[in-house]
């Protein structure tokens, strides 16, 4: 379909005419293009940088149909690029579905026995295997590897790191030799110095960050994906951990201070990106909630949208709105930086030059 759009293009914040032909953006007029809008805001395709296509809501592995349904829900909210942060199933078949968002895979979670959600990850009996397994998952993924940095240790009754500092350094070096970046699930304080000093590229959740570890992240340029909509489940996790009162109190404290933690990290210059942690305990399609949550945690509404769009795309090596780039963008009727309500209702989404939701071929209605 050949299309023409006119609206305020972000992040430039200027009214511009765009054309789309063969799935690609053109700054030059395209003949016989249908005008889809002559007012509105046009935003580079949103990014959910922590999104598990393949983990069923409520737990377990999703089947192919279920994974497709999850990806469709993400697309319709405007999330057109997903970094999967670990999936138990091989979602590579989704690459053949041009109507579905692009997934940047991180292979499978790497953990230790009894130290993560059962049956999701690869569990290593001996931590010395970590560098080899990281290298293997680096070759399997799309430039990212996901390790579990800490989890409850039931014998200690609290969060504890899974790995020694020395093996983390070896493992992250191994991933970098494969050309992959590494990220880690981390809730508590203790695992952070070892991960950051080992040169990890990103931290997921990061609720245990303190002034010292925030400064270390800023020095190393480590990114943070706070997943605030997931952190809001911490009080429920604490309520169900009656056998582990120290852990429960710890989780409540991490939750209580998380918005200050994110604000402090942002103020220190740590790059922050949106991730919902959809799959398992969070439903898919929550990107607007996460943008809104970041806007309540020290980022302006403009910065929160940037963290979910052009800045995240740049971080993941994908173009924004430019001449010759794939036509992946979201159109809003009102400024998506203006209010929560504006974010909730994209007028329509364009993915690879096709419009969603699709219009009825008879009535022309969406
Ligand atoms: Zn996750």
């Amino acid at each position: 379909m050949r299309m023409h759009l006119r609206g305020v293009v972000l992040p430039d914040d200027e009214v511009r005419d765009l054309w789309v032909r063969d799935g690609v953006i053109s700054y030059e007029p395209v003949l016989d293009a249908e005008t889809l809008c002559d007012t509105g805001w046009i935003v580079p395709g949103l990014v959910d940088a922590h999104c598990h296509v393949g983990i069923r809501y409520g737990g377990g592995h999703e089947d192919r149909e279920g994974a497709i349904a999850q990806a469709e829900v993400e697309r319709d909210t405007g999330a057109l690029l997903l970094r999967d942060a670990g999936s138990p199933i091989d979602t590579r078949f989704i690459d053949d579905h041009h109507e579905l968002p692009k997934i940047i895979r991180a292979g499978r979670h790497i953990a230790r026995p009894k130290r993560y959600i059962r049956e999701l990850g690869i569990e290593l009996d001996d931590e010395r295997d970590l560098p080899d397994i990281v290298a293997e998952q680096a070759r399997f993924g799309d430039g990212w590897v996901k390790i579990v940095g800490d989890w409850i240790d039931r014998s200690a009754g609290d969060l504890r790191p899974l790995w020694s500092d020395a093996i983390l350094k070896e493992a992250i070096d191994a991933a970098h030799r494969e050309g992959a970046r590494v990220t880690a699930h981390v809730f508590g304080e203790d695992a952070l110095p070892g991960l950051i000093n080992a040169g990890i590229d990103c931290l997921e959740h990061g609720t245990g960050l303190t002034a010292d570890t925030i400064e270390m992240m800023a020095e190393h340029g480590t990114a943070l994906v706070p997943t605030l909509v997931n952190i809001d489940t911490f009080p429920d996790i604490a309520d169900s951990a009656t056998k582990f009162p120290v852990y429960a109190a710890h989780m409540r404290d991490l939750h209580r201070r998380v918005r200050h933690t994110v604000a402090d990290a942002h103020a220190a210059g740590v790059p922050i990106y949106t991730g919902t942690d959809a799959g398992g305990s969070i439903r898919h399609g929550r990107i607007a909630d996460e943008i809104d949550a970041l806007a309540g945690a020290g980022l302006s509404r403009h910065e929160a949208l940037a963290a979910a769009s052009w800045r995240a795309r740049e971080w993941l090596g994908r173009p924004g709105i430019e001449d010759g780039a794939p036509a992946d963008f979201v159109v809003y009727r009102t400024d998506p930086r203006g209010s929560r309500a504006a974010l909730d209702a994209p007028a329509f989404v364009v993915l690879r030059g096709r419009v969603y939701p699709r219009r009825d071929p008879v009535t022309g209605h969406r």
Side-chain angles (χ1 to χ4, degrees), residues 50 52 85 109 116 146 205 277:
H50 186 137
H52 303 281
H109 299 77
Y116 194 55
K146 171 80 178 286
H205 322 300
D277 213 353

Side-chain angles (χ1 to χ4, degrees), residues 183-231:
T183 193
H185 163 108
V186 57
F187 282 165
E189 295 82 355
D190 297 349
L192 288 163
L195 290 163
I196 301 165
N197 279 327
I200 198 152
D201 301 280
C202 182
L203 295 171
E204 310 299 309
H205 322 300
T207 39
L209 284 165
T210 58
D212 286 350
T213 43
I214 285 171
E215 196 183 315
M216 287 169 64
M217 284 185 85
E219 269 170 28
H220 281 82
T222 321
L224 176 65
V225 179
T227 70
L228 289 172
V229 298
N230 182 26
I231 307 311

Side-chain angles (χ1 to χ4, degrees), residues 37 39-42 330-336 342-343 345-348 366:
C37 62
T39 173
W41 277 259
I42 306 172
V330 189
V331 179
Y332 296 90
R333 286 189 188 87
T334 53
D335 190 340
L343 277 175
F348 57 92
R366 276 197 278 266

